[in-house]
Amino acid sequence: MLLASAVVVWEWLNEHGRWRPYSPAVSHHIEAVARAGPRAGGSVVLGQADSRLAPYIIDLQSMHQFRQDTGTIRPVRRSYYDPSSAPGKGVVWEWENDSGTWTPYDMDVGITIQRAYEKQHPWVDLSAIGFCYVIDFATMGQINRQTQRKRRVRRRLDMVYPLVSGTLPKSQSWPASPGAAAAPPVPACTCPQCLLVMSVKAAAGGPGTSTLQPRKAAPAPPAAPKPALPAAGPKAPDGVAVARGSLKPLAAQGGRRQAASTPALSSASASGSPPGVGSGKGARPSLGTLNRSHLQRLAIAQSRVLIASGVPTVPVKNLTGSSPVNPALAGITGILMSAAGLPVCLTRPPKLVLHPPPVSKSEIQSIPGISHSCRKTTKKQAKKGKTPEEVLKKYLQKVRHPPDEDCTICMERLSAPSGYKGPQPAVKPDLVGKLVKCSHAFHLHCLVAMYNNGNKDGSLQCPTCKTIYGVKTGTQPPGKMEYHIIPHALPGHADCKTIRIIYNIPPGVQGPEHPNPGKSFTARGFPRHCYLPDSEKGRKVLKLLLVAWDRRLIFAIGTSSTTGESDTVIWNEIHHKTEFGSNLTGHGYPDINYLDNVLAELAAQGITEESLAQEKD
């Protein structure tokens, strides 16, 4: 045990082996449940702290995060940091990704940046901690030392992470009960299946469970008081229902009925004692003595009892097939969640329906009011002949007496010269201009530099309010867009047929407008099928998507947020529905707000009904 004060940051392990921090609010929520101990159930519903995390539950016994709609399992950990570091001050450092949104740095990176910032260093080199980036505090930019690519960074204030003081455990895991020993040794196999088996057996058998021997009998602790709950019972995300009355472990709720139908259960099921604690004569073996086949039979018997008692079901993936491994994994998951006070019955997951039933060519119809059924794009070059200064002159008014505020590009006062340190444009650094529509003011020097770093297509977007001047175009690679009507209805739109859009972009070589000119790029997942209801609003969205396609705004080349692959074709801030008959991924129907949301996203790119008239002209 260590005597100290520290801030606690809860983190999860992503597919690239990096520990990603939960937000301060979510960490506070997890820490509150962890401090409450076993009486709180040992299960954390993350959706209670952040609605965007509704599918996720953390089991503090196994230190794993479960995503309930897919069954995905990820390790979590509880890390401690100095209270004087960034998380102890509520400072979050973020970088701007390819979609224009902000991503927080890993905690060790953010702490390193904040330390250099506080020491008023002009920049910090992150190579010492394994990253080939330099953070320039003057421009608030991140520079890749290998490719010289630049990204914006920002520093913002958030809640302070939870503070703990006194004795801090060396282990990052949460003990099953007071006085519990350290985490069990890692088994030879480290697949999720075996890790979960070992964690469950360790929880049931206590110290020394690596030999899979039952513990000696011990007096049962006094029963914990039942916390009062609303009559209807609280709801966990995505179909996990908490039983009415109390958060008592499932084995105790099953009572004699479950013990009678489940010979593999320990005596804890009938007596109310914790797993692995003997109850005298006739005590059954603990969970620590069960092998995979026993666990499978336990899961099947447990499911029968749950179904008979009317407990709601929750889907978990990988229940298909005849192998005993997948049902055993599902059973282990059920045991963990049951021990956490969440009575569930594991069923086969809802079926993911990405595509409609087969459609013959004779059933495909063209879309009334829209000519043709296919559109191609090529690399449209920016118009030549106008300098950046000439382009910006159309959108600006000179400001003789600059206001007493910062230029949001270089973060220097407008009354002082521009702080931009890159390639110097042919504009005096102390001149200030005001955009005519939104009236936001900037150094002309900074605006010209920003224009030169963009697509140079004759348009400008205000960096403060995102108002677009001119016609914004993107850097979408060449490809083809097809669109037609198929005779099937989308969930939530039973009164109309469906518009199907098929995007197809082949791999190729990046042009001068792309992140790495001359380097090849990949195009994963094409052709991509997307769906709209064939309603009045659905056809309006399609017409605007055609404008976005012509302006090369639907796709871009960058780094995939799902796979981490760089130099690949990615979506560009205009969401599409790629799931036809279900909504398990969040990219399907029903979604009553989707059409309004995508219209707002198109408007943010400068594409509105006025754009349709402009295209005709």
Side-chain angles (χ1 to χ4, degrees):
M1 306 292 281
L2 302 175
L3 221 53
S5 293
V7 287
V8 176
V9 178
W10 285 84
E11 301 169 313
W12 58 277
L13 187 68
N14 70 9
E15 61 271 23
H16 306 298
R18 298 292 304 173
W19 287 98
R20 305 290 294 136
Y22 291 102
S23 69
V26 174
S27 286
H28 272 279
H29 179 55
I30 302 172
E31 184 67 13
V33 178
R35 290 182 186 181
R39 283 186 291 179
S43 178
V44 188
V45 180
L46 298 187
Q48 293 175 352
D50 187 340
S51 60
R52 295 170 298 180
L53 302 181
Y56 299 97
I57 284 184
I58 290 179
D59 181 81
L60 294 172
Q61 185 67 49
S62 65
M63 293 295 281
H64 280 82
Q65 169 191 278
F66 295 86
R67 176 164 179 158
Q68 297 169 90
D69 53 353
T70 65
T72 304
I73 303 169
R74 295 189 186 277
V76 300
R77 74 180 184 183
R78 182 191 202 185
S79 297
Y80 301 98
Y81 295 95
D82 193 313
S84 63
S85 63
K89 296 179 178 179
V91 174
V92 180
W93 283 89
E94 299 173 318
W95 56 276
E96 187 177 32
N97 59 34
D98 292 322
S99 63
T101 56
W102 294 92
T103 302
Y105 284 98
D106 293 351
M107 193 54 65
D108 56 340
V109 179
I111 289 173
T112 301
I113 298 173
Q114 177 64 15
R115 188 181 301 122
Y117 179 84
E118 290 175 348
K119 293 180 178 179
Q120 297 185 344
H121 292 172
W123 49 268
V124 58
D125 189 343
L126 300 180
S127 59
I129 57 174
F131 296 91
C132 60
Y133 300 114
V134 172
I135 306 299
D136 187 339
F137 294 120
T139 61
M140 291 298 283
Q142 170 190 281
I143 304 170
N144 188 313
R145 298 180 63 183
Q146 295 179 348
T147 66
Q148 296 303 305
R149 184 178 182 185
K150 299 178 181 179
R151 293 182 184 272
R152 290 198 299 166
V153 301
R154 74 177 184 183
R155 175 182 180 270
R156 68 176 180 85
L157 294 179
D158 203 329
M159 294 174 60
V160 175
Y161 277 89
L163 180 69
V164 294
S165 59
T167 54
L168 304 179
K170 293 181 180 180
S171 172
Q172 299 288 318
S173 61
W174 180 75
S177 60
V186 177
C189 176
T190 57
C191 68
Q193 162 84 18
C194 293
L195 286 173
L196 279 175
V197 170
M198 291 301 294
S199 66
V200 173
K201 289 182 177 181
T209 52
S210 58
T211 59
L212 303 183
Q213 297 296 323
R215 291 190 292 179
K216 296 180 179 180
K226 299 180 180 180
L229 295 176
K235 288 185 177 180
D238 290 354
V240 179
V242 182
R244 298 180 182 179
S246 71
L247 291 176
K248 189 185 295 183
L250 183 63
Q253 291 179 5
R256 298 179 181 274
R257 181 180 182 182
Q258 183 169 349
S261 61
T262 314
L265 281 173
S266 72
S267 58
S269 300
S271 67
S273 301
V277 178
S279 59
K281 186 177 180 179
R284 299 186 180 94
S286 71
L287 289 175
T289 65
L290 300 181
N291 58 27
R292 283 186 179 177
S293 61
H294 289 149
L295 285 169
Q296 182 185 353
R297 289 199 294 272
L298 183 153
I300 293 172
Q302 182 188 57
S303 296
R304 288 172 180 166
V305 172
L306 289 167
I307 293 171
S309 61
V311 172
T313 62
V314 59
V316 175
K317 70 176 182 178
N318 293 337
L319 290 185
T320 56
S322 58
S323 168
V325 175
N326 292 332
L329 175 58
I332 295 161
T333 306
I335 295 167
L336 286 172
M337 296 181 72
S338 297
L342 295 173
V344 296
C345 176
L346 302 172
T347 64
R348 293 197 193 317
K351 187 176 181 182
L352 181 69
V353 183
L354 289 176
H355 302 291
V359 178
S360 64
K361 289 185 178 180
S362 61
E363 293 178 300
I364 295 176
Q365 302 174 1
S366 59
I367 302 172
I370 300 179
S371 59
H372 309 294
S373 60
C374 177
R375 195 166 294 192
K376 296 182 179 180
T377 57
T378 57
K379 293 182 179 179
K380 294 182 179 180
Q381 300 298 326
K383 295 180 181 180
K384 304 293 183 180
K386 287 188 176 182
T387 65
E389 293 79 6
E390 291 172 329
V391 171
L392 298 181
K393 188 177 180 180
K394 299 185 299 181
Y395 312 132
L396 290 171
Q397 294 176 343
K398 287 187 178 180
V399 177
R400 296 184 181 276
H401 303 289
D404 186 25
E405 58 187 42
D406 288 342
C407 170
T408 58
I409 299 177
C410 71
M411 302 309 294
E412 296 289 345
R413 305 300 284 181
L414 290 171
S415 55
S418 168
Y420 177 69
K421 304 299 183 184
Q424 298 295 301
V427 178
K428 292 181 179 180
D430 56 349
L431 293 179
V432 175
K434 180 175 68 175
L435 293 171
V436 293
K437 289 183 183 178
C438 62
S439 298
H440 288 118
F442 309 92
H443 291 113
L444 291 180
H445 198 80
C446 296
L447 283 175
V448 172
M450 186 182 75
Y451 182 84
N452 283 330
N453 288 329
N455 201 24
K456 294 189 283 290
D457 59 356
S459 72
L460 180 71
Q461 188 165 17
C462 174
T464 299
C465 67
K466 305 303 181 184
T467 298
I468 295 174
Y469 295 81
V471 177
K472 180 182 178 181
T473 61
T475 60
Q476 177 179 289
K480 182 172 68 172
M481 175 183 181
E482 299 178 70
Y483 39 94
H484 48 249
I485 296 174
I486 57 175
H488 299 292
L490 292 164
H493 298 275
D495 57 340
C496 62
K497 297 180 181 179
T498 298
I499 297 171
R500 179 168 62 184
I501 305 170
I502 304 175
Y503 294 112
N504 206 345
I505 294 179
V509 177
Q510 298 181 52
E513 72 274 27
H514 293 136
N516 297 299
K519 185 177 180 180
S520 61
F521 68 86
T522 58
R524 310 290 186 193
F526 288 96
R528 299 186 185 183
H529 292 229
C530 308
Y531 305 96
L532 292 168
D534 184 29
S535 60
E536 181 180 353
K537 187 177 284 189
R539 293 185 187 184
K540 176 183 176 181
V541 170
L542 175 64
K543 292 176 181 178
L544 296 177
L545 287 175
L546 290 171
V547 176
W549 174 264
D550 291 338
R551 295 184 183 178
R552 303 174 65 195
L553 290 168
I554 293 182
F555 295 99
I557 293 177
T559 301
S560 170
S561 60
T562 55
T563 66
E565 181 181 12
S566 58
D567 298 303
T568 190
V569 179
I570 59 174
W571 293 103
N572 186 37
E573 300 184 50
I574 302 174
H575 286 84
H576 286 63
K577 291 295 188 181
T578 56
E579 193 177 345
F580 174 79
S582 55
N583 196 18
L584 297 184
T585 65
H587 301 296
Y589 295 91
D591 185 341
I592 59 175
N593 298 316
Y594 170 66
L595 295 178
D596 291 327
N597 289 342
V598 74
L599 286 172
E601 291 172 344
L602 286 161
Q605 300 287 344
I607 301 173
T608 60
E609 290 190 70
E610 296 177 359
S611 305
L612 300 176
Q614 292 174 2
E615 292 294 312
K616 291 178 181 179
D617 296 341

